[in-house]
Amino acid sequence: MKGTPVVVNVWAAWCGPCRAEAPDLASASRSYGSRVQFVGVDILDTRSSARGFMAEYGWSYPSVFDPTAEIRDRLGFVGQPDTVFYDADGRIAMTWPGPLTPAVLAKGIDRILPSGQAR
């Protein structure tokens, strides 16, 4: 994905705060289209629960299945949800442990988009 800003969100279908932020992630993904790639990391879950969650919130972006939470752990987080914002060169521009608010999501995306491309 080098060359494209990326938002990686660690989540689980059974996670209440993940459910709270899910509509904002879906909306941002639709709004930014191909300018920002969203990727989910579904942890400690079942595939059927994950698919149901993604359908419920209208997520059209990919999500990887991580039943052991190894990806989350390697990112240095201990809970979920968590989000990492990567710029187009693959550098971490911002991390956010815990649930996103619309303002935090916008701030992270502003940090990874080239100047003049925000919203």
Side-chain angles (χ1 to χ4, degrees):
M1 289 184 245
K2 195 163 185 152
T4 303
V6 179
V7 176
V8 176
N9 178 256
V10 178
W11 64 279
W14 46 264
C15 165
C18 300
R19 289 188 168 277
E21 71 180 11
D24 295 325
L25 287 163
S27 177
S29 174
R30 285 189 300 274
S31 294
Y32 288 98
S34 63
R35 293 183 296 153
V36 176
Q37 175 64 59
F38 285 72
V39 177
V41 179
D42 174 40
I43 63 164
L44 305 171
D45 220 340
T46 64
R47 289 181 192 260
S48 61
S49 293
R51 287 183 183 121
F53 179 99
M54 292 172 71
E56 179 179 346
Y57 293 103
W59 283 6
S60 58
Y61 55 86
S63 189
V64 297
F65 182 60
D66 182 18
T68 64
E70 180 180 354
I71 296 170
R72 178 202 63 194
D73 296 350
R74 286 181 180 238
L75 288 170
F77 298 114
V78 294
Q80 63 285 323
D82 300 296
T83 308
V84 183
F85 297 85
Y86 293 91
D87 68 17
D89 293 322
R91 293 182 301 247
I92 295 174
M94 185 174 132
T95 60
W96 191 260
L100 292 168
T101 63
V104 169
L105 181 56
K107 177 181 176 180
I109 292 172
D110 286 347
R111 286 190 179 182
I112 61 176
L113 277 177
S115 298
Q117 285 193 17
R119 295 219 180 223

